[in-house]
Amino acid sequence: ELRMTYTATTDKTTLVNLVANLYGEDPSIFDLKAIDKDLAQVMRRMISTDGRKKRVVLIDNVTGTLKSSNLATLVTIHSLTGLAPYGHTEESRPNDITYAATMNGAVVDTDIATRSYTVRLKAPEDPNPHWEGEVKDYMTRNRLQIFADLIHMIENNPLKVRRRKSRFGMFDKLILSAVCRSEDEFRAVDKAISAENDRANEDQDKALEF
């Protein structure tokens, strides 16, 4: 699960595209209105021949409040099912997708806040105009080694701890704790994630105001 927030001076879509490119594909791009209007059609696209190759979904440039019961459902279900385009029987695929929403200072409702992680980027003081191309070239040359390093980190994770207030205990134990060097660092990450979720949670702000 992933939600991304940035300052207005950063290229907020670039990181999502680069993560998708690491898997060798561009992200699937969906409009939040389309997800709210017809979730079944969205899943049909994702189980299509081309959609099955995608590992990242991008919901770009969200403004105002990110509030969508369909999106909350989409990021939680274990598999995506439906009648694929030009298909005659129901098909499915694992929901092994990272959903990324880019936004500038937007707020979210409780359903999204409890299902998301915030990544906040700071614009570089002296940006390299060739940075994106250099990163893509590096990933192309080292893709298998990058995945091997990630697998090694997960398989040799000595912590296997989970966050105190989390819906995703398995993710915390197997993935999030694998990139932390100690339990103290993991607890600091836990505190930072919880603080970001609370800060962006519009429902909680309204409750406190009331």
Side-chain angles (χ1 to χ4, degrees), residues 47-89:
I47 62 173
S48 66
T49 302
D50 289 334
R52 286 177 179 273
K53 302 174 184 176
K54 308 291 188 178
R55 292 294 179 269
V56 176
V57 164
L58 170 60
I59 305 168
D60 207 9
N61 292 320
V62 176
T63 57
T65 300
L66 177 55
K67 184 175 184 178
S68 171
S69 59
N70 278 356
L71 178 59
T73 298
L74 191 60
V75 302
T76 307
I77 56 179
H78 294 290
S79 61
L80 306 173
T81 61
L83 184 65
Y86 309 107
H88 300 287
T89 58

Side-chain angles (χ1 to χ4, degrees), residues 19-156:
V19 172
N21 290 161
L22 182 60
Y23 291 93
E25 293 285 339
D26 293 326
S28 290
I29 300 176
F30 288 98
D31 184 88
L32 191 60
K33 292 180 180 178
I35 294 175
D36 285 335
K37 182 179 179 180
D38 193 345
L39 183 59
Q41 179 62 24
V42 169
M43 288 199 284
R44 286 188 67 194
R45 278 185 55 188
M46 295 167 74
I47 62 173
S48 66
T49 302
D50 289 334
R52 286 177 179 273
K53 302 174 184 176
K54 308 291 188 178
R55 292 294 179 269
V56 176
V57 164
L58 170 60
I59 305 168
D60 207 9
N61 292 320
V62 176
T63 57
T65 300
L66 177 55
K67 184 175 184 178
S68 171
S69 59
N70 278 356
L71 178 59
T73 298
L74 191 60
V75 302
T76 307
I77 56 179
H78 294 290
S79 61
L80 306 173
T81 61
L83 184 65
Y86 309 107
H88 300 287
T89 58
E90 187 173 77
E91 299 182 29
S92 66
R93 63 165 286 184
N95 191 15
D96 52 355
I97 295 173
T98 296
Y99 298 86
T102 64
M103 57 189 70
N104 292 319
V107 293
V108 302
D109 70 351
T110 299
D111 280 347
I112 301 299
T114 58
R115 290 169 167 82
S116 63
Y117 295 89
T118 298
V119 177
R120 190 173 291 276
L121 296 186
K122 181 180 179 180
E125 295 180 0
D126 185 21
N128 175 3
H130 308 293
W131 176 82
E132 184 177 354
E134 290 174 356
V135 172
K136 287 182 177 179
D137 180 61
Y138 181 87
M139 289 194 304
T140 299
R141 290 184 286 107
N142 298 280
R143 179 174 283 112
L144 294 181
Q145 185 61 54
I146 293 171
F147 283 124
D149 288 343
L150 292 172
I151 292 170
H152 177 79
M153 291 170 66
I154 295 169
E155 290 182 341
N156 294 273

Side-chain angles (χ1 to χ4, degrees), residues 2-17:
L2 176 65
R3 179 173 62 81
M4 317 185 105
T5 59
Y6 305 82
T7 62
T9 55
T10 59
D11 188 353
K12 55 189 177 296
T13 306
T14 301
L15 178 59
V16 182
N17 285 327

